[in-house]
Amino acid sequence: MLDILVIAPHPDDAELGAAGAILKFKAEGAKVGVLDLTSGEPTPFGTLEKRAAETAAATEILGLDWRQNLGLPNRSLEATLEARQALATVIRQTRPKWLFAPYWVDAHPDHVAATQLVEAARFWSKLSKTEMPGEPWHPARIFYYYCVHLKHAAQPAFVLDISEHWDRKLAAIRCYHSQFIEGRSTEPPTFLDQLRDEAAFWGKAIGTRYGEPYASREPLGMASLKSLI
Ligand SMILES: [Zn+2]
């Protein structure tokens, strides 16, 4: 049903870390979904209603084929057996070829738990002789996007050229007014300025205007060198 499933601890993490890839996949005709694990609330300037409206607006801009919220507890997300089963069931139902998960090193415990949960659920989703509904399914790859709560110097496995999609990525992020605009300093560099600078840094690293970095625990096999920049 889906080609790509991006799994996010909170609504806005998929936008921050992987909106460029999402827009690129959509432009190529792939079916792309986002599963937010928690509501992301409470936050200082957000409410459940506001955050849901912001998520809906960003979903529209990204042109997602599918988006749901697994309803796990925000701020106390844990990779429990129950959560693993719930996520593995979604993977069996949506049958994505690839998964996208948050990078595995992070100061935010929800993000670390999300990575562990995705990896465990990916394994569980292929099990036979289980009580989980749906047929066994194993996404071939997990790529890790960066939405890290650390001053982290990433060493990505590859960088995606997102120059054509940067404006739309920023528009999707701007939908989260309660998270990235309200209550933030308006002195440059603003939070959004810093995001642009970071995307420009990764673009410069690969000789394009904007880039989006990704990590992988496994080596990446290449069928050809043609798509290298
Ligand atoms: Zn988050």
Side-chain angles (χ1 to χ4, degrees):
M1 174 188 163
L2 290 175
D3 296 304
I4 309 295
L5 179 60
V6 180
I7 300 169
H10 312 107
D12 69 14
D13 289 317
E15 283 83 355
L16 286 172
I22 290 170
L23 289 162
K24 213 167 172 98
F25 281 125
K26 285 303 303 167
E28 291 166 355
K31 282 208 180 316
V32 185
V34 170
L35 179 68
D36 300 307
L37 297 177
T38 75
S39 70
E41 292 301 324
T43 56
F45 301 98
T47 64
L48 280 173
E49 296 72 25
K50 237 195 247 184
R51 192 75 171 263
E54 291 170 347
T55 306
T59 300
E60 186 76 26
I61 287 174
L62 294 177
L64 292 173
D65 298 286
W66 183 96
R67 187 169 199 159
Q68 284 190 15
N69 194 302
L70 202 56
L72 297 173
N74 182 52
R75 290 185 175 175
S76 50
L77 183 62
E78 285 186 291
T80 62
L81 286 179
E82 291 76 16
R84 185 191 302 175
Q85 179 159 343
L87 180 53
T89 298
V90 171
I91 294 171
R92 288 160 80 100
Q93 289 166 342
T94 55
R95 305 173 81 74
K97 287 181 198 136
W98 294 350
L99 296 177
F100 283 69
Y103 183 63
W104 55 83
V105 176
D106 204 312
H108 196 321
D110 281 3
H111 285 216
V112 176
T115 310
Q116 291 169 351
L117 187 53
V118 173
E119 290 176 344
R122 177 205 187 200
F123 193 89
W124 257 31
S125 66
K126 72 176 176 183
L127 298 182
S128 58
K129 299 176 185 170
T130 154
E131 290 170 6
M132 285 185 289
E135 293 298 311
W137 183 255
H138 189 248
R141 287 197 172 276
I142 306 183
F143 297 116
Y144 301 84
Y145 60 87
Y146 292 88
C147 55
V148 176
H149 293 251
L150 277 176
K151 289 180 178 58
H152 175 73
Q155 292 185 294
F158 65 95
V159 179
L160 197 63
D161 174 17
I162 61 160
S163 305
E164 280 179 35
H165 304 290
W166 169 253
D167 288 346
R168 220 167 167 77
K169 169 169 178 168
L170 185 61
I173 291 169
R174 288 182 68 91
C175 292
Y176 293 93
H177 201 269
S178 69
Q179 304 301 306
F180 305 128
I181 298 169
E182 238 173 305
R184 296 250 183 194
S185 167
T186 54
E187 288 295 312
T190 64
F191 178 76
L192 296 177
D193 289 339
Q194 287 176 326
L195 282 183
R196 185 204 56 220
D197 293 348
E198 206 180 348
F201 170 84
W202 288 113
K204 179 172 179 287
I206 58 168
T208 69
R209 184 71 185 92
Y210 293 111
E212 198 168 70
Y214 287 91
S216 173
R217 290 195 195 269
E218 298 174 315
L220 301 175
M222 296 184 68
S224 141
L225 293 175
K226 277 189 205 156
S227 60
L228 279 177
I229 296 173

